[in-house]
Amino acid sequence: MSTRTTAGLPLTPGVNVDSIDYEAGLRMAAHLGYDDPQAQTVATYALQRHARGEEDGAFQTWLSYYPRDLTSWYAVLACAGGGR
């Protein structure tokens, strides 16, 4: 993944990439029962993908490792600030 847009411009949080509070998202994931090391790693990676503008990839990452639900992903994302 590049740190620039397809036009060659830098990525700017809040403009062309989301600003994410990873700790808040991980706390929500733990609160929902995703507190084991693998689940926390998956949540971190999904949030990183979302922050880079890979919303579909983040969604697929969250759902692909072991049974997770869509509502939990939206809760994690909302707490991390990615839904702004």
Side-chain angles (χ1 to χ4, degrees):
M1 183 69 205
S2 174
T3 58
R4 299 207 169 259
T5 66
T6 55
L9 301 172
L11 297 177
T12 306
V15 177
N16 54 6
V17 66
D18 289 330
S19 177
I20 297 289
D21 180 351
Y22 296 100
E23 293 301 317
L26 293 175
R27 280 193 305 272
M28 176 52 82
H31 176 74
L32 296 170
Y34 304 110
D35 54 357
D36 61 277
Q38 180 187 13
Q40 289 285 293
T41 300
V42 170
T44 300
Y45 183 58
L47 288 169
Q48 289 171 338
R49 290 190 78 179
H50 190 277
R52 290 191 305 257
E54 301 175 27
E55 289 88 357
D56 290 338
F59 172 75
Q60 291 302 322
T61 296
W62 177 259
L63 294 177
S64 66
Y65 279 85
Y66 58 84
R68 291 185 175 89
D69 61 282
L70 181 61
T71 303
S72 294
W73 170 241
Y74 285 132
V76 168
L77 191 56
C79 283
R84 293 181 206 175

